[in-house]
């Protein structure tokens, strides 16, 4: 297995992996999001707020994981306000159970530490939760979401 950082030359592969990940999580492909994915990956890779690792086996990308960097207002528990978000974690079903996700997480945590950030957060699928718990992530109820497409004034 070859672990390597993605570049803008890998955006098409990253787009394919993102769509596979979403389908694997049970989300039906109901819209074409190619233009948005292309723009997102190119922009974030260029500005350095996304670092994505790819895992290749015999020239085929079989897994990936990314970290996105965000700045929030400083707080008493995070005086820099900087946080990292783990995203795009996906391993092809034929390669699961081999420790690939754990190795990707270790590489992503190393990237976060190198950036001087001490807070990492993520959203996990049911399938991914055991991997993250075993790695040391702790679940919290800190984050809530409001879907404005479904929201009406009450």
């Amino acid at each position: 297995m070859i672990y390597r950082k993605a570049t803008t030359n890998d955006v098409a592969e990253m787009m394919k992996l993102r769509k596979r990940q979403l389908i694997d999580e049970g989300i039906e492909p109901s819209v074409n999001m190619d233009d948005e994915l292309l723009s997102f990956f190119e922009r974030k890779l260029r500005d350095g707020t996304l670092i994505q690792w790819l895992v290749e086996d015999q020239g085929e990308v079989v897994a990936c994981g990314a970290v996105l960097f965000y700045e929030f207002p400083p707080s008493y528990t995070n005086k820099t306000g900087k946080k990292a978000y783990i995203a795009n974690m996906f391993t092809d079903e034929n390669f699961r159970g081999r420790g690939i996700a754990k190795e990707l997480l270790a590489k992503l945590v190393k990237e976060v530490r190198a950036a001087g950030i001490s807070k990492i957060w993520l959203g996990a699928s049911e399938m991914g939760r055991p991997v993250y718990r075993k790695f040391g992530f702790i679940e919290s109820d800190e984050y809530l979401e409001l879907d404005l497409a479904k929201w009406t004034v009450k």
Side-chain angles (χ1 to χ4, degrees):
M1 301 280 177
I2 297 171
Y3 290 74
R4 66 177 180 82
K5 284 185 188 180
T7 69
T8 53
N9 294 331
D10 296 306
V11 168
E13 188 66 34
M14 292 165 62
M15 291 169 61
K16 283 189 339 190
L17 290 166
R18 175 66 176 162
K19 289 188 249 182
R20 285 182 64 196
Q21 172 199 354
L22 293 171
I23 291 168
D24 197 55
E25 291 174 1
I27 302 170
E28 291 295 322
S30 58
V31 296
N32 181 329
M33 61 181 179
D34 288 351
D35 290 343
E36 291 78 10
L37 282 172
L38 178 68
S39 173
F40 176 84
F41 285 128
E42 286 181 344
R43 182 172 28 88
K44 293 295 188 179
L45 284 170
R46 281 197 183 104
D47 72 13
T49 58
L50 170 74
I51 297 173
Q52 180 139 346
W53 280 80
L54 302 175
V55 182
E56 293 182 354
D57 182 57
Q58 299 179 10
E60 177 187 354
V61 178
V62 298
C64 62
V67 61
L68 287 147
F69 299 106
Y70 292 95
E71 273 191 80
F72 294 87
S75 70
Y76 293 118
T77 59
N78 184 8
K79 71 178 191 171
T80 68
K82 295 178 182 178
K83 288 187 182 185
Y85 182 79
I86 302 293
N88 294 344
M89 292 293 293
F90 175 77
T91 304
D92 181 281
E93 61 191 20
N94 297 315
F95 290 84
R96 292 179 185 156
R98 300 184 190 185
I100 295 171
K102 180 181 175 184
E103 182 68 24
L104 280 169
L105 280 172
K107 291 183 179 307
L108 295 172
V109 168
K110 188 174 180 180
E111 298 283 358
V112 172
R113 281 193 175 140
I117 298 170
S118 61
K119 298 281 185 178
I120 304 173
W121 56 296
L122 57 77
S125 67
E126 285 302 317
M127 184 173 26
R129 288 179 193 277
V131 173
Y132 302 121
R133 277 191 217 111
K134 189 173 181 181
F135 195 86
F137 282 86
I138 299 169
E139 292 186 58
S140 75
D141 295 329
E142 186 175 345
Y143 299 98
L144 299 170
E145 180 179 286
L146 175 64
D147 184 348
L148 293 176
K150 298 176 183 174
W151 180 76
T152 58
V153 178
K154 297 183 181 190

